[in-house]
Each structure stands twice: as C-alpha cells, then as structure tokens.
Amino acid sequence: HGYIMSDITKKCKLKTAVAVILLEYLKPSTRRANPSPYTSQYVPEISLSKYIERICRFASLHGNALTCALIYIDRYLLASKAELTAHEIHRLFLVAAVAAAKYLYDDYYENRYYADIGGISIEEFNSLEADFMKTIDYCVYVDESLYARYDRAVISFRGTRSRI
C-alpha cells in the first residue's frame, strides 16, 4: 500500500522547502551604510513561508516558478554580492517569482497586481524589477540540467545548511 501525496500536499511541501532554503540564506540583520533597494525599514510581520504561500496563491504560481525564482535569487546574490537579511527577502522573492512567472507563463498579471499582492507600491515594484533584471543581466533562461539540479535539491531538502 503506497501513499501518494495529493497535489495540494506536494505544493505545500514545496513552498515550505523554498521558504526554509531562503531562510538559510539570511544573514543577521544589521544597519548598513548602503542598504540595498530591497531593504525595508521593518521586517515584514508576515512570515516568509506565509508570504510565499500568498504570492503563489494570488499569482497562480506553480512549482516550476518557485524553482526558477530560487535560481534567479542565486543569480542576483552572486552578481550583486549582496547579503540577504530579513529586511530584503520578501521583496526579493516577490520580484524573482514575478520574473519566473513572466518567463514561464503565457498569461501573467500586470505589475500593479503583483505589487498589490506583495504589499508594495507599483512604483517600488517597477523600480525593484528594473534593478533585479539589470543585475541578473536579463538572464531568465534556465537550462534543463540547472533546473533539474535545483528541483531535485528543493524536493529532497531536509534542512541542511549547504547551498544548492
């Protein structure tokens, strides 16, 4: 008697794994002389896990977008040499997830909608999106082997501290 997870259970586990992986990236929050464009004055009250769940639900994002968003965040962090704290992660995830949706899906929402569900102004969203895309050199293509490597890592994630 094998147990087959429902699609809902798989999606919940995937969102949780992505949240835990991103939390592993975080450095302690400290005041910086030059904060990044993603730095919010306060750490959002909503947990990262709930935020990811919210963005996925209202933006109709699937597992492939979450995996691509992780890849894009890694590209951003590598290119910018930025340190990620709880003050940045929500906004950075939002922009990376939207970049993934726009790349993967034929139908996606307008930026105003993404800004609304993400809890930021449209002006701030547009500015963050422009910064993000420029920083990753507009590189949204993900080859199959890289995608497969990240996807396997997310699916099998067990809370290790190693990056993908």
Side-chain angles (χ1 to χ4, degrees), residues 47-120:
S47 71
L48 182 58
S49 182
K50 293 280 187 204
Y51 189 75
I52 290 171
E53 188 177 312
R54 173 182 172 76
I55 300 305
C56 288
R57 182 172 10 124
F58 289 111
S60 304
L61 300 182
H62 305 286
N64 58 347
L66 289 174
T67 300
C68 285
L70 273 179
I71 293 168
Y72 297 164
I73 289 170
D74 273 352
R75 286 178 182 172
Y76 178 85
L77 294 174
L78 187 63
S80 69
K81 305 207 184 325
E83 288 193 350
L84 192 57
T85 73
H87 290 267
E88 291 95 14
I89 189 60
H90 292 73
R91 289 179 171 138
L92 187 60
F93 172 78
L94 173 65
V95 174
V98 171
K102 288 180 175 182
Y103 176 71
L104 295 169
Y105 307 146
D106 291 333
D107 295 318
Y108 52 84
Y109 299 99
E110 292 182 4
N111 281 2
R112 181 171 306 285
Y113 180 75
Y114 292 122
D116 286 345
I117 64 172
I120 61 176

Side-chain angles (χ1 to χ4, degrees), residues 32-43:
R32 290 185 267 181
N34 298 316
S36 88
Y38 301 88
T39 305
S40 64
Q41 188 172 2
Y42 304 101
V43 174

